């Protein structure tokens, strides 16, 4: 049998009514996806914290559901849904994708995996390949993140396969922030630890229900203090770190602690 | 005590101090809660409220009560009864010669001047009142203000411990020092008064021993009814009717037995739930909700303090028509920080507020004025505070946004 004959066997002769039905299904699915992408983020902004993150994470799930349902409705209108026909169609599509759109198909599949494996969700703060930002949307092919400098970065889902993904809050409301302080070694450690602890405790940005920790590291050039605490709103993490740093420096100065700078590393030629 | 209290079931005392864990926040009627939930969803999509049914008395037919009349029906709070209730709760502790716990903490619900209860109580027992340190002393970590107290073994009352700290990196040492000394018995026997928001914060910054904490029991529907009845009619002559202006339902129990079959309003239940049992906040809503007909006002007799009252009706604005203070649209981080800081300190002077917030002074002032316009904060000449009327909205706003809130 010729190729044309196989194709003719697989596909229906599509009537005008079926074309209209397919157009309506596509339009309906597209409208649903459009509304979900537009209204759920709008609605999410009217809620706070947990509800907001939940609503945002619904967007890609609803989009995937709409596409799958639309495909299930369209395919029987185009081909006879027998096992042989479906296998032939899938084989042809798979071949085409495998050669021509390998990376694109890989991203699409990785996009589906993200919905179930959830390495990142909308609202998460992630770092991939040195780019840090908030996941604003998870599209079919790529995730869109916005960096603290308000730059949009599109990261193809296929990075999921071979890149390390650092997720700072992992779908939760808590995100650890760290402020660093470098002091000359001659000081009262307990007094400095208490002062830094109180700096975090009195920050208006602090999520007081989460623990505060002061970590002390002994370095060749002095003492490195790491003040770790959680902000009340993870979107305010940089303002929180700024607040900790500014007030921390003032508090340490007031108790007579002296700051030091990390000396530049000398290169040996 | 009102006449209609049932003899079989003893009504709870109006003023009652209980351990903090026993504080029972009054619940709103289920129907109202469901309706509020629906109205929230509706408010996301609609801007206008649906028109209610025609009321029995329209707002145009009624007028606000004149101030003298309002002061007659809802006079200033007499703290002596509360002070006696505190003595009753602390009876065992007072009778012990050397109690295991040298100090007792009396928590106050916010936005009301319950500090006067402790001051009245201290005056009645002739206990020494401890004054708080100044803001400069707090920030300098000076503990000298306690030295007089340490020399003297006489019992003491510190009515406003929230004024002994500042949410500032250098503002916690004084309060920690004081609480350590007091809880270990070095300052002798004492009673500490503390605002509930400040206490919620102090328990996070001070890890000392567990202290006995008591508070005024919540004013639920029954207590509010008894309280308002007592205020309006201290002689129990039952000459005033309190009815809701839309349907005529009785808000307080009717004076005549013939009227007893009339329907009663759930206004007080809603008020108790709205104010979370905080009677200061309940009073702040109750006073402006009262109306009278223009020709039905009490008259002030020349030369006498007692107005003429004869079977008058005071009309109470229905709950859904009351204007509750709400956060300005777009309220965000600045509003949260300012409101939270004010509540944690039970109000602050402007200069001290600047020291506790990491915000430019102009931004703080702008935020305060914006909140003042919305009726959420007020300046009393020296201190900025959250208003009793605005408090429920503020508490809900801060809680929704994950801030530390009080127990009440």
């Amino acid at each position: 049998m010729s190729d044309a004959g196989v194709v003719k066997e697989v596909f229906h002769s599509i009537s005008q009514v079926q074309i209209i039905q397919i157009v309506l299904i596509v339009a309906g699915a597209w409208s649903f996806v459009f509304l979900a992408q537009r209204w759920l983020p709008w609605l999410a902004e009217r809620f706070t914290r947990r509800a907001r993150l939940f609503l945002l994470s619904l967007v890609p799930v609803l989009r995937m559901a709409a596409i799958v349902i639309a495909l299930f409705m369209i395919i029987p209108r185009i081909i006879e849904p027998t096992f042989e026909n479906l296998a032939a169609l899938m084989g042809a599509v798979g071949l085409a994708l495998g050669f021509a759109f390998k990376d694109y198909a890989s991203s699409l599949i990785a996009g589906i995996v993200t919905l179930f494996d959830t390495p990142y969700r909308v609202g998460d703060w992630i770092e991939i390949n040195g780019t840090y930002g908030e996941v604003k949307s998870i599209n079919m092919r790529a995730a869109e993140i916005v960096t603290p400098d308000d730059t949009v970065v599109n990261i193809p889902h296929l990075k999921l396969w071979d890149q390390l993904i650092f997720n700072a809050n992992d779908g939760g409301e808590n995100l650890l922030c760290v402020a660093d302080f470098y002091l000359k070694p001659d000081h009262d450690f307990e007094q400095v630890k208490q002062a830094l602890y109180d700096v975090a405790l009195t920050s208006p940005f602090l999520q007081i229900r989460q623990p505060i920790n002061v970590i002390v590291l002994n370095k060749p050039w002095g003492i490195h203090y790491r003040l770790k605490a959680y902000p009340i709103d993870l979107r305010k993490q940089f303002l929180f770190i700024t607040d900790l740093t500014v007030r921390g420096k003032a508090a340490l100065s007031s108790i007579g602690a002296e700051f030091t700078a990390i000396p530049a590393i000398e290169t040996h030629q | 005590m009102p006449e209609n209290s049932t003899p079989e079931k003893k009504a709870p005392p109006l003023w009652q101090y209980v351990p903090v864990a026993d504080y029972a926040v009054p619940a709103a009627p289920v129907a109202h809660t469901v309706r509020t939930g629906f109205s929230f969803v509706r408010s996301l999509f609609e801007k206008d409220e649906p028109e209610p049914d025609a009321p029995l008395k329209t707002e145009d037919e009624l007028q606000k009560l004149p101030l003298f009349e309002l002061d007659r029906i809802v006079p200033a709070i007499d703290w002596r009864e509360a002070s006696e209730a505190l003595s009753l709760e602390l009876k065992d502790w007072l009778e012990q010669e050397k109690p295991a716990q040298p100090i007792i903490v009396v928590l106050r619900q916010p936005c009301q001047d319950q500090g006067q209860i402790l001051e009245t109580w201290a005056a009645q027992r002739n206990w020494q009142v401890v004054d708080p340190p100044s803001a400069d002393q707090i920030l300098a970590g000076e503990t000298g203000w306690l030295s007089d107290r340490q020399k003297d073994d006489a019992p003491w009352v510190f009515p406003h411990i929230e004024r002994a700290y500042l949410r500032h990196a250098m503002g916690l040492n004084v309060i920690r020092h004081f609480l350590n000394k007091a809880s270990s018995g070095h300052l002798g026997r004492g009673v500490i008064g503390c605002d509930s928001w400040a206490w919620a914060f102090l328990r996070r910054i001070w890890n000392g021993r567990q202290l006995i904490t008591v508070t005024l029991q919540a004013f639920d529907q029954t207590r509010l009814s008894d309280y308002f009845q007592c205020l309006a009619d201290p002689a129990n002559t039952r000459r005033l009717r309190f009815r809701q202006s839309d349907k005529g339902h009785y808000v307080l129990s009717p004076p005549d037995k013939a009227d007893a079959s009339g329907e009663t309003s759930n206004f007080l239940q809603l008020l108790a739930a709205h104010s979370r049992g905080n009677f200061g906040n309940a009073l702040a809503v109750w006073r402006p909700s009262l109306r009278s007909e223009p020709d039905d006002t009490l008259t002030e007799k020349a030369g006498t303090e007692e107005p003429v009252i004869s079977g008058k009706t005071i009309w109470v604005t229905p709950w859904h028509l009351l204007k509750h203070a709400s956060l300005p649209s777009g309220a965000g981080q600045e509003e949260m920080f300012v409101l939270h800081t004010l509540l944690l300190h039970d109000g602050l002077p402007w200069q001290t507020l600047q020291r506790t917030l990491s915000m430019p002074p102009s931004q703080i002032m702008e935020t305060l004025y914006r909140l003042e316009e919305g009726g959420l904060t007020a300046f009393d000449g020296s201190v900025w505070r959250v208003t009793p009327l605005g408090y429920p909205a503020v508490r809900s706003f801060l809680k929704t946004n994950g801030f530390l809130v009080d127990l009440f």
Side-chain angles (χ1 to χ4, degrees):
Chain A
M1 193 181 287
S2 68
D3 287 351
V6 173
V7 171
K8 209 170 182 180
E9 257 186 35
V10 171
F11 286 94
H12 277 305
S13 57
I14 302 172
S15 68
Q16 215 168 3
V17 175
Q18 282 168 320
I19 290 172
I20 291 169
Q21 284 176 340
I22 290 167
V23 168
L24 285 176
I25 291 166
V26 170
W30 183 85
S31 304
F32 180 78
V33 170
F34 177 80
L35 287 174
Q37 285 180 337
R38 200 176 176 88
W39 288 104
L40 278 177
W42 175 84
L43 195 62
E45 290 308 315
R46 274 147 184 81
F47 289 86
T48 51
R49 296 164 65 78
R50 195 180 292 274
R52 174 179 166 272
L53 294 175
F54 173 73
L55 286 170
L56 288 175
S57 67
L58 276 182
V59 175
V61 176
L62 288 177
R63 187 181 54 230
M64 179 53 65
I67 291 169
V68 169
I69 291 169
L71 281 176
F72 269 99
M73 292 172 76
I74 290 170
I75 287 173
R77 286 171 170 78
I78 299 174
I79 62 169
E80 287 286 349
T82 61
F83 176 76
E84 291 79 6
N85 286 350
L86 284 173
L89 184 70
M90 291 298 179
V93 170
L95 201 65
L97 289 178
F99 281 106
F101 303 106
K102 182 167 69 66
D103 286 349
Y104 193 86
S106 180
S107 282
L108 289 180
I109 292 164
I112 295 168
V113 171
T114 60
L115 298 183
F116 301 101
D117 203 27
T118 57
Y120 43 78
R121 308 160 191 79
V122 178
D124 281 1
W125 284 79
I126 62 169
E127 183 182 339
I128 300 178
N129 267 357
T131 305
Y132 182 66
E134 183 184 11
V135 179
K136 284 292 179 185
S137 64
I138 296 177
N139 302 319
M140 293 288 289
R141 185 192 66 81
E144 189 179 280
I145 72 171
V146 177
T147 69
D149 296 330
D150 204 23
T151 303
V152 176
V153 181
N154 276 287
I155 298 175
H157 294 308
L158 64 86
K159 296 282 179 195
L160 181 71
W161 305 131
D162 58 359
Q163 297 288 323
L164 295 177
I165 298 170
F166 299 89
N167 194 324
N169 61 307
D170 196 23
E173 302 160 18
N174 299 311
L175 184 150
L176 184 66
C177 292
V178 183
D180 295 294
F181 301 91
Y182 308 100
L183 300 184
K184 290 181 179 172
D186 190 17
H187 59 259
D188 182 338
F189 283 54
E190 284 308 316
Q191 193 184 16
V192 167
K193 276 175 69 182
Q194 184 67 57
L196 288 178
Y197 186 84
D198 283 355
V199 164
L201 199 53
T202 52
S203 171
F205 293 94
L206 176 75
Q207 174 49 271
I208 205 166
R209 295 180 189 88
Q210 294 297 322
I212 300 167
N213 283 302
V214 182
I215 308 297
V216 186
L217 301 164
N218 195 15
K219 299 286 183 182
W221 39 261
I223 305 296
H224 179 190
Y225 283 88
R226 307 197 80 203
L227 175 56
K228 296 182 170 189
Y230 293 83
I232 199 151
D233 182 347
L234 43 84
R235 288 171 293 183
K236 308 290 183 209
Q237 57 188 287
F238 299 102
L239 293 175
F240 182 45
I241 294 171
T242 304
D243 182 59
L244 293 180
T245 306
V246 172
R247 292 188 316 108
K249 287 240 172 187
L252 293 176
S253 294
S254 72
I255 59 171
E258 288 185 75
F259 298 98
T260 186
I262 302 173
I265 299 167
E266 290 179 18
T267 53
H268 298 281
Q269 293 183 349
Chain B
M1 193 64 60
E3 280 180 353
N4 63 339
S5 56
T6 53
E8 303 86 29
K9 192 179 170 185
K10 196 180 173 189
L14 196 58
W15 303 93
Q16 182 187 20
Y17 275 88
V18 292
V20 167
D22 293 346
Y23 186 84
V25 179
V30 177
H32 176 77
T33 309
V34 172
R35 207 163 39 241
T36 306
F38 277 119
S39 68
F40 169 70
V41 175
R42 201 175 55 210
S43 70
L44 292 172
F45 303 99
E46 286 181 7
K47 287 189 175 171
D48 299 321
E49 291 279 319
E51 285 294 318
D53 297 336
L56 186 68
K57 296 282 178 188
T58 63
E59 278 293 292
D60 297 338
E61 292 175 74
L62 300 172
Q63 65 173 20
K64 284 185 180 176
L65 289 176
L67 195 58
F68 81 91
E69 194 173 333
L70 202 53
D71 287 342
R72 156 73 185 81
I73 293 171
V74 193
I77 300 166
D78 181 357
W79 299 108
R80 282 173 301 181
E81 281 187 67
S83 167
E84 284 160 19
L86 180 61
S87 292
L88 193 65
E89 176 64 20
L90 302 185
K91 190 169 176 281
D92 292 343
W93 180 76
L94 290 167
E95 284 171 356
Q96 292 168 28
E97 198 168 320
K98 285 208 166 184
Q101 289 266 23
I103 56 172
I104 297 279
V105 180
V106 179
L107 292 193
R108 301 190 308 274
Q109 291 113 46
C111 303
Q112 49 180 308
D113 198 11
Q114 277 188 35
Q116 284 188 32
I117 298 177
L118 279 184
E119 280 153 8
T120 308
W121 190 82
Q124 284 172 344
R125 310 188 76 81
N126 206 20
W127 284 26
Q128 188 187 343
V129 174
V130 179
D131 294 322
S134 68
D136 288 334
Q137 283 176 312
I138 293 170
L139 292 176
E142 281 181 27
T143 52
W145 65 285
L146 262 181
S147 54
D148 291 343
R149 179 69 256 128
Q150 285 170 306
K151 290 173 199 160
D152 190 358
D153 277 346
W156 49 272
V157 172
F158 192 170
H160 294 283
I161 197 181
E162 68 277 358
R163 294 180 192 163
Y165 87 100
L166 285 173
R167 197 183 60 172
H168 183 283
M170 311 307 290
L172 306 179
N173 291 335
V174 166
I175 192 88
R176 284 190 182 123
H177 177 77
F178 172 77
L179 287 171
N180 284 335
K181 286 268 182 191
S183 62
S184 60
H186 282 89
L187 303 180
R189 185 189 295 233
V191 174
I192 293 172
C194 188
D195 177 82
S196 57
W197 283 73
W199 189 249
F201 184 70
L202 292 179
R203 284 311 310 180
R204 302 274 175 173
I205 64 148
W206 179 67
N207 300 312
R209 66 193 293 187
Q210 203 66 33
L211 302 176
I212 298 173
T213 44
V214 298
T215 188
L216 260 184
Q217 181 55 288
F219 271 64
D220 56 7
Q221 182 185 9
T222 311
R223 280 196 171 89
L224 282 181
S225 174
D226 291 351
Y227 182 51
F228 292 151
Q229 194 83 61
C230 285
L231 287 181
D233 189 15
N236 203 15
T237 49
R238 320 283 293 164
R239 286 178 295 180
L240 285 174
R241 289 188 184 86
F242 287 82
R243 300 179 68 188
Q244 203 162 292
S245 63
D246 57 345
K247 293 177 180 167
H249 294 170
Y250 284 98
V251 178
L252 298 182
S253 53
D256 303 325
K257 283 185 181 171
D259 292 334
S261 56
E263 283 196 66
T264 54
S265 156
N266 65 355
F267 183 94
L268 291 182
Q269 192 180 2
L270 291 169
L271 179 58
H274 175 76
S275 58
R276 299 178 62 81
N278 181 327
F279 74 94
N281 293 350
L283 264 184
V285 178
W286 177 245
R287 277 177 67 101
S289 73
L290 303 181
R291 298 279 187 277
S292 64
E293 288 175 273
D295 57 345
D296 200 23
T297 54
L298 311 180
T299 54
E300 199 171 23
K301 269 187 182 175
T304 65
E305 289 182 358
E306 184 63 25
V308 176
I309 308 171
S310 56
K312 304 292 182 191
T313 299
I314 303 296
W315 295 99
V316 180
T317 309
W319 186 258
H320 66 274
L321 291 183
L322 287 178
K323 300 272 187 296
H324 299 296
S326 59
L327 271 295
S329 60
Q333 176 186 294
E334 291 81 18
E335 284 80 3
M336 290 180 214
F337 287 173
V338 169
L339 291 167
H340 197 230
T341 306
L342 290 179
L343 282 171
L344 288 184
H345 295 88
D346 192 23
L348 280 176
W350 157 243
Q351 290 82 358
T352 317
L353 186 61
Q354 280 184 72
R355 290 165 142 179
T356 57
L357 281 171
S358 315
M359 287 164 61
S362 59
Q363 199 177 13
I364 299 173
M365 189 47 91
E366 188 188 334
T367 308
L368 280 171
Y369 284 144
R370 197 162 53 242
L371 293 168
E372 190 183 29
E373 278 171 26
L376 298 165
T377 57
F379 184 60
D380 67 3
S382 60
V383 170
W384 282 94
R385 281 199 175 83
V386 173
T387 61
L389 276 176
Y391 174 72
V394 171
R395 188 183 193 281
S396 167
F397 177 59
L398 292 174
K399 189 177 181 199
T400 310
N401 284 287
F403 282 80
L404 178 72
V405 296
D406 71 341
L407 292 166
F408 312 135

